[in-house]
């Protein structure tokens, strides 16, 4: 029996990874922003209400311009806060499960160790605050909702740290890379695979089941941005030295949005509830780099 997922998002890195892996008994109907304007909460709700026979809604769309959000707070809150709220209300009305993707940036970074789902939140920037608003709305409005916090997503698709490092290496003689931020880099491909693998279970889970609520998903292994950058070039430039890198503190970059220095996510609940232990981030990073032959060969 086939299962249908209605996905908000069609061109972002996670959206594309889901579409690349769907098939067989799982059909994904992806809605782009051209089809549904996420700023229009009524249009978002209408898309779900008129979707026909669907088993699950996945919100893989977001406003992700972390620094620009400081000057566009209304837009960030509309897409990251009010749109998920509209999804939750519409899903509740038809008793359809909702999976919503969130971020490690809801935390302040002040904790010494890894963050568990129940730790106090404290976003440092507009982007994180807008994502937290979306989390809260989804969880409060619908008892069949799963909010998945992810960390430092990378992919062969879209805009992410992998793409940024390769692009800057082609134009800058020395790369300034922060060395005081740490997290568990996470493959969008692995998040997509998890959602698709659990879709049937989630579609059948009743309200109040242990599957619902907050969940952290991150690949194994903690890294700084510098360590991740070095791994990228080891893979992308085999047999060649990495480009010159200057490790700098985050404060040296004078970015509009403050960053949490510790964004490490604890994923024990992922193992306890779903029986899933993600692989080390270096393995999917190698796969993502291998999917960029033109970029690698041009380096």
């Amino acid at each position: 029996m086939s299962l249908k997922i209605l996905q908000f998002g069609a061109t972002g890195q996670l959206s594309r990874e889901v579409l690349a892996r769907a098939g067989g008994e799982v059909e994904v109907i992806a809605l782009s922003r051209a089809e549904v304007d996420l700023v229009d909460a009524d249009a978002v709700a209408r898309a779900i209400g008129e979707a026909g026979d669907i088993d699950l809604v996945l919100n893989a769309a977001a406003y992700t311009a972390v620094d620009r959000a400081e000057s566009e707070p209304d837009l960030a809150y509309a897409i990251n806060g009010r749109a998920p709220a509209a999804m939750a209300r519409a899903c509740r009305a038809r008793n359809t499960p909702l999976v919503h993707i969130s971020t490690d940036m809801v935390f302040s970074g002040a904790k010494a160790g890894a963050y568990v789902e129940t730790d106090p939140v404290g976003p440092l920037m507009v982007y994180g605050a807008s994502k937290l608003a979306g989390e809260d709305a989804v969880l409060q409005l619908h008892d069949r909702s799963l909010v998945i916090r992810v960390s430092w997503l990378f992919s062969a698709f879209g805009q992410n740290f992998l793409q940024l490092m390769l692009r800057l290496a082609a134009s800058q003689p020395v790369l300034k890379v922060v060395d005081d931020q740490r997290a568990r880099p996470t493959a969008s491909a692995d998040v997509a695979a998890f959602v698709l693998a659990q879709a049937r279970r989630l579609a059948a889970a009743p309200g109040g089941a242990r599957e619902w609520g907050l969940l952290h998903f991150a690949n194994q292994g903690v890294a700084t941005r510098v360590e991740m950058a070095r791994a990228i070039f080891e893979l992308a430039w085999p047999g060649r030295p990495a480009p010159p890198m200057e490790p700098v503190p985050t404060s040296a970059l004078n970015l509009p949005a403050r960053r949490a220095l510790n964004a490490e996510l604890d994923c024990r609940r992922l193992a306890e509830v779903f029986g899933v232990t993600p692989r080390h981030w270096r393995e999917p990073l190698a796969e993502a780099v291998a999917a960029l032959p033109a970029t690698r060969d041009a380096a």
Side-chain angles (χ1 to χ4, degrees):
M1 182 177 177
S2 63
L3 183 141
K4 290 185 179 180
I5 297 176
L6 180 68
Q7 174 177 279
F8 286 89
T11 59
Q13 60 174 317
L14 180 57
S15 303
R16 291 176 66 179
E17 293 286 6
V18 172
L19 290 171
R21 284 158 178 75
E25 295 185 352
V26 180
E27 176 186 357
V28 177
I29 304 164
L31 300 175
S32 68
R33 290 189 184 179
E35 294 170 298
V36 179
D37 183 0
L38 296 178
V39 175
D40 186 346
D42 290 337
V44 170
R46 189 163 54 249
I48 294 173
E50 298 175 353
D53 184 20
I54 55 172
D55 301 288
L56 182 75
V57 173
L58 169 61
N59 182 26
Y63 178 107
T64 57
V66 175
D67 289 311
R68 195 165 70 240
E70 297 297 308
S71 59
E72 296 180 341
D74 290 343
L75 183 58
Y77 272 93
I79 295 174
N80 293 342
R82 293 190 288 276
M87 294 177 199
R89 291 189 185 95
C91 286
R92 181 184 63 192
R94 57 181 295 163
N95 194 31
T96 300
L98 171 62
V99 176
H100 173 68
I101 306 301
S102 191
T103 175
D104 56 359
M105 292 190 185
V106 299
F107 295 114
S108 70
K111 185 177 179 179
Y115 282 96
V116 297
E117 288 84 354
T118 54
D119 277 331
V121 291
L124 301 178
M125 78 289 280
V126 169
Y127 168 74
S130 69
K131 291 295 290 182
L132 180 59
E135 282 190 7
D136 289 344
V138 166
L139 295 173
Q140 291 171 9
L141 291 169
H142 191 23
D143 66 353
R144 297 185 73 201
S145 60
L146 176 64
V147 173
I148 305 176
R149 291 175 179 151
V150 297
S151 174
W152 288 13
L153 285 184
F154 63 84
S155 169
F157 303 127
Q159 299 183 22
N160 53 72
F161 188 71
L162 164 60
Q163 309 277 359
L164 176 64
M165 287 296 99
L166 294 173
R167 185 169 66 251
L168 292 180
S171 61
Q172 297 186 7
V174 178
L175 303 183
K176 292 186 177 181
V177 186
V178 297
D179 64 352
D180 57 352
Q181 294 180 31
R182 73 178 191 274
R184 293 170 58 172
T186 302
S188 292
D190 289 8
V191 180
F194 170 76
V195 172
L196 291 171
Q198 301 297 328
R200 193 169 298 280
R201 174 178 175 178
L202 294 172
R210 65 198 299 255
E211 287 90 345
W212 308 122
L214 285 167
L215 183 72
H216 290 172
F217 188 106
N219 283 107
Q220 293 290 322
V222 179
T224 65
R225 286 294 193 187
V226 167
E227 289 168 339
M228 187 178 178
R230 288 172 179 153
I232 288 169
F233 290 110
E234 286 174 6
L235 294 164
W237 294 7
R240 294 177 52 188
M245 275 186 269
E246 179 186 347
V248 298
T250 302
S251 59
L253 299 183
N254 296 315
L255 298 170
R258 292 175 62 199
R259 264 61 167 186
L261 300 186
N262 172 27
E264 183 183 351
L265 299 179
D266 184 300
C267 296
R268 281 177 292 181
R269 184 170 187 266
L270 177 66
E272 292 167 358
V273 176
F274 293 96
V276 172
T277 300
R279 54 187 174 161
H280 196 281
W281 61 269
R282 286 177 178 266
E283 185 178 343
L285 179 64
E287 295 171 357
V289 170
L292 296 166
T295 302
R296 185 178 65 243
D297 294 342

